[in-house]
Amino acid sequence: VKAHSIGLRVNINGIDYREKVPSDITLLDYLRKNRQLMGTKKGCNAGECGTCTVLLDGRAVYSCITLAIQADGKKVETIESLGDEENLDPIQQAYVDAGAVQCGYCIPGMIMATKELLNNNSHPRAQEIREALAGNLCRCTGYRQIMEAVELAARNMSGGGTEKDHGHESYPNENS
Ligand code: FES
Ligand code: FES
């Protein structure tokens, strides 16, 4: 059966798009092929590794198991919405400073999961960080430096301060 085309209206990193897309194209393939946003990586393509994580209306989702049309009328944020090489976003800078990047393949997804966490909880506890990143696999780092990177980002973004629990509204990657 051939997929039919379907109208899509979506805001990606602040820009509105309106076009026809195949009804079965994943959000990941749409971002990479149609929008040339190559920062979102394809690992397992099966909802298991997290490297394709993007924010959909602020929630971290696996874009490989999300259809592009599920983003209709919504806001998508990808790693390209953060900083660039000259001007890193505080989360990206913290990953560099903590030595949390080895091969780098998992990092765009890790950073988007981190962004969701810190948007909702500026002072996450270690257990909350572990839960927020539980859906993102890294083959290289052993996770310790990644935990440190998230803690460092939280400190830098809140200007230090005391540890407070702001609650945790949602976990990423539990999209069904
Ligand atoms: S590419 Fe592995 S979860 Fe999407
Ligand atoms: S840095 Fe290589 S998979 Fe995480």
Side-chain angles (χ1 to χ4, degrees):
V1 188
K2 220 172 166 293
H4 56 287
S5 290
I6 199 160
L8 173 70
R9 281 170 43 245
V10 63
N11 182 287
I12 302 172
N13 301 336
I15 302 172
D16 286 319
Y17 297 94
R18 176 192 282 257
E19 64 187 307
K20 293 230 179 225
V21 297
S23 57
D24 63 350
I25 192 172
T26 64
L27 181 57
L28 176 60
D29 285 340
Y30 171 74
L31 291 170
R32 292 177 57 86
K33 291 182 185 156
N34 295 41
R35 299 269 65 86
Q36 278 79 49
L37 293 170
M38 306 302 271
T40 306
K41 300 301 178 203
K42 186 186 276 192
C44 66
N45 205 30
E48 279 160 18
C49 74
T51 193
C52 65
T53 302
V54 300
L55 302 192
L56 186 60
D57 277 351
R59 281 211 60 168
V61 299
Y62 290 154
S63 61
C64 71
I65 54 168
T66 303
L67 291 174
I69 53 168
Q70 289 176 271
D72 187 51
K74 298 190 174 159
K75 257 181 68 171
V76 177
E77 292 165 76
T78 72
I79 189 72
E80 286 88 353
S81 69
L82 280 75
D84 56 30
E85 280 159 43
E86 250 90 276
N87 192 7
L88 294 178
D89 166 277
I91 299 175
Q92 293 169 314
Q93 188 65 55
Y95 270 71
V96 172
D97 292 345
V101 182
Q102 287 188 31
C103 83
Y105 206 77
C106 69
I107 297 297
M110 287 285 181
I111 287 181
M112 295 316 288
T114 303
K115 188 163 172 57
E116 187 210 38
L117 171 68
L118 297 183
N119 282 349
N120 293 310
N121 181 354
S122 55
H123 296 81
R125 298 167 189 279
Q127 181 58 27
E128 292 172 322
I129 298 172
R130 273 193 288 276
E131 284 167 2
L133 300 182
N136 292 72
L137 305 183
C138 176
R139 289 169 183 270
C140 304
T141 65
Y143 302 102
R144 193 173 56 81
Q145 293 96 327
I146 289 174
M147 291 283 299
E148 287 169 9
V150 179
E151 285 165 357
L152 181 61
R155 274 203 302 282
N156 289 345
M157 291 165 75
S158 61
T162 54
E163 178 150 322
K164 257 193 276 159
D165 190 1
H166 289 249
H168 192 122
E169 281 153 33
S170 60
Y171 296 152
N173 308 328
E174 290 185 346
N175 53 316
S176 46

